[in-house]
Amino acid sequence: MSNIKIKGDGVFKIRNSVIYLHGSIDGIFYRKSTGKKVTPITKEWIKKANPLEELAKLLNIEKNVNKAINFEEFGNMILELTSSRRQKSSQEELERLFQNRILPSFKRFTLKDIKPLDIVNLLEKQKKEVCNDRVKRIKNILNIIFDYAYDNDLVEKNPVQTRSVKSVDLFYIPKNTKAYSTEEISLILNNAKGWFKIFMELSFKLGLRTGECMALKWSDFDFETEKLSLKRSITKGIISEQNEKSLSNKNHFRKIQLFPDLVKLLKNYYEVRPSDEWLFINKDGRYYRESKTIVDYHLKPLLKEINVEYKTLYATRRSYESVMSFGGENLEDIQKVMGHSKGSKITEKHYIDPRILKLEHDKLNAQKQQNIFNMMVKTESENFKPKLA
């Protein structure tokens, strides 16, 4: 028996970084685009998937569309077909956006009914109701759906890729969220008690995302090397695990060297730990599913007691970046700790807040800058004496 595949047996092909299916079904040979780009995830999918079965799925979509399946049915098919490339929480969010934000405008449309102007109207309407980040996701959903439709000859072109749709302004202007000042950080850390003190110490001193701090386990800490190995986060009750191969906009997988005083605090906390697994648990003995509980029952009451303005729990991350940046820490080292990409503009553009500084910090920075200048350039300004007229 020969193991050589012949034309029609069913194979995956890659062309221009897009995965195609070649094979014969019912005696007819097909070449069809899957619409999937080549990524580490889709490479694993290729290893496990059966080419002829996947080809049959695509042909079934075409067959159903030719029977006048509307946009809603086709969109649901594509979101399900592409679900393997996303985490569960991301898939659920896209499905909600499709149902609640896209379908109210396009529910009774067929694919060919939807024109660029319809998409422009939808995006402009959504800009008035939700943040630009969500509008971008709405646009991305439409792009995925119409990419599949175009690749399978169901529409003449992808309307999302037209000039009029691309011209919709989705530039993101971040909210000017304040950071806690150095004085306020001191008040918070000096007055926080018990597990909440540990939570705030880690948040302020390591710049952790709130979901990362909520998801910490004792197994993440190595007290010999004094390192923290981050590998998960909690969002809306869903735990997202990551490893070195994970692809995500948010890097939750990284190692951080702990401050010596944090190591001492953690060792003391370990002696009275409420759980052998999780660092932080609620009154029911479970990990915190939502940060709102921590904010409403722990952070806000503390801030009210010490007369500090509430600036969100996530603002601790911005405070960390601002403190370390103005303190002279190297930007790349800050980005490594925070999980930002090397050279990312986000760190400087959205996280540094000069309002954290007091006058004495400004004076110290000026002195530091003067010392650098004087070390490089010799001057006699200190010996200057004004002449009398």
Side-chain angles (χ1 to χ4, degrees):
M1 291 288 291
S2 173
N3 292 324
I4 299 175
K5 280 187 173 289
I6 61 173
K7 183 177 180 180
D9 281 350
V11 293
F12 291 101
K13 297 281 188 178
I14 297 173
R15 188 169 66 200
N16 296 326
S17 298
V18 176
I19 303 170
Y20 284 77
L21 286 164
H22 290 197
S24 294
I25 294 180
D26 296 331
I28 302 173
F29 182 75
Y30 297 92
R31 294 185 183 89
K32 294 290 180 182
S33 167
T34 66
K36 297 177 184 285
K37 296 284 186 180
V38 178
T39 67
I41 293 175
T42 54
K43 284 181 181 177
E44 289 299 315
W45 172 74
I46 287 175
K47 293 178 183 178
K48 299 177 183 178
N50 182 301
L52 288 180
E53 288 181 3
E54 296 300 325
L55 178 60
K57 288 180 185 178
L58 287 177
L59 292 175
N60 185 52
I61 290 175
E62 290 185 22
K63 179 181 176 182
N64 288 334
V65 170
N66 289 332
K67 291 181 179 178
I69 283 185
N70 61 23
F71 170 77
E72 177 181 6
E73 293 175 75
F74 184 80
N76 281 323
M77 285 182 189
I78 299 306
L79 285 179
E80 177 61 30
L81 185 67
T82 59
S83 61
S84 62
R85 68 179 71 169
R86 306 181 196 97
Q87 294 183 351
K88 182 180 177 182
S89 58
S90 298
Q91 176 69 11
E92 290 174 349
E93 182 179 7
L94 291 191
E95 289 174 356
R96 284 194 297 271
L97 288 174
F98 184 69
Q99 293 294 326
N100 301 330
R101 295 288 169 183
I102 296 176
L103 286 185
S105 294
F106 297 149
K107 192 173 182 67
R108 300 187 184 281
F109 282 57
T110 66
L111 285 170
K112 293 181 178 180
D113 288 336
I114 299 174
K115 306 301 180 186
L117 184 59
D118 299 315
I119 297 176
V120 170
N121 285 333
L122 171 67
L123 297 179
E124 292 292 350
K125 177 185 175 184
Q126 295 303 317
K127 282 170 61 178
K128 298 175 183 177
E129 298 180 9
V130 296
C131 67
N132 277 20
D133 184 56
R134 289 202 165 207
V135 181
K136 286 181 181 178
R137 293 181 194 180
I138 291 170
K139 182 181 177 182
N140 186 50
I141 292 170
L142 290 168
N143 191 52
I144 292 170
I145 293 170
F146 280 104
D147 264 350
Y148 270 87
Y150 175 73
D151 286 341
N152 290 281
D153 301 320
L154 304 177
V155 292
E156 293 182 0
K157 62 183 178 181
N158 180 347
V160 182
Q161 294 301 318
T162 57
R163 285 180 297 175
S164 55
V165 176
K166 287 183 176 180
S167 67
V168 176
D169 183 11
L170 296 179
F171 179 74
Y172 176 62
I173 301 176
K175 293 181 179 177
N176 193 20
T177 305
K178 297 178 182 177
Y180 293 100
S181 70
T182 53
E183 187 174 9
E184 289 170 335
I185 295 172
S186 179
L187 278 170
I188 292 169
L189 296 183
N190 287 336
N191 286 275
K193 306 296 182 185
W195 71 266
F196 187 57
K197 176 178 175 60
I198 307 298
F199 190 98
M200 297 307 290
E201 289 269 353
L202 290 167
S203 299
F204 274 122
K205 294 182 178 179
L206 301 182
L208 301 183
R209 297 178 178 93
T210 301
E212 292 172 343
C213 201
M214 289 164 53
L216 288 174
K217 294 183 178 182
W218 286 111
S219 57
D220 300 331
F221 294 88
D222 185 333
F223 287 131
E224 287 190 18
T225 61
E226 299 185 352
K227 289 184 183 292
L228 164 61
S229 298
L230 283 174
K231 58 191 72 172
R232 77 187 68 78
S233 183
I234 297 175
T235 303
K236 297 179 180 178
I238 304 297
I239 300 174
S240 300
E241 298 272 355
Q242 287 190 357
N243 55 45
E244 65 275 6
K245 296 181 180 179
S246 297
L247 297 175
S248 174
N249 291 333
K250 293 184 178 180
N251 176 21
H252 301 304
F253 184 84
R254 58 192 190 277
K255 281 194 175 184
I256 301 176
Q257 189 70 45
L258 297 169
F259 290 2
D261 62 350
L262 276 177
V263 175
K264 293 178 182 178
L265 280 172
L266 286 164
K267 285 182 176 179
N268 289 335
Y269 180 49
Y270 183 77
E271 295 300 319
V272 293
R273 62 192 181 280
S275 166
D276 288 333
E277 181 180 12
W278 301 93
L279 254 71
F280 310 113
I281 58 173
N282 60 25
K283 61 181 180 180
D284 297 322
R286 301 175 181 176
Y287 61 84
Y288 283 94
R289 298 173 60 84
E290 300 279 355
S291 61
K292 188 177 186 301
T293 306
I294 298 175
V295 170
D296 290 346
Y297 294 97
H298 300 280
L299 180 57
K300 284 185 176 179
L302 172 63
L303 297 181
K304 184 177 181 181
E305 178 185 329
I306 61 179
N307 197 29
V308 170
E309 177 189 355
Y310 170 66
K311 300 169 185 174
T312 77
L313 181 52
Y314 194 84
T316 57
R317 183 167 163 82
R318 195 172 189 209
S319 297
Y320 165 82
E321 205 286 336
S322 300
V323 168
M324 301 306 288
S325 178
F326 286 115
E329 180 63 287
N330 180 277
L331 180 61
E332 288 186 11
D333 290 337
I334 295 173
Q335 290 174 328
K336 184 178 178 181
V337 172
M338 295 183 72
H340 286 170
S341 300
K342 181 180 177 180
S344 170
K345 300 298 182 183
I346 293 176
T347 317
E348 294 178 279
K349 191 172 182 180
H350 301 329
Y351 282 85
I352 296 178
D353 186 353
R355 291 170 295 187
I356 71 158
L357 299 176
K358 296 187 292 186
L359 179 59
E360 61 200 67
H361 293 123
D362 290 333
K363 290 180 178 179
L364 285 172
N365 279 332
Q367 179 66 54
K368 182 172 66 175
Q369 292 166 9
Q370 175 183 289
N371 293 341
I372 293 172
F373 188 90
N374 289 344
M375 179 179 68
M376 303 298 294
V377 181
K378 294 183 178 180
T379 68
E380 297 181 357
S381 57
E382 292 181 2
N383 299 322
F384 172 73
K385 294 180 180 180
K387 294 181 179 180
L388 296 176

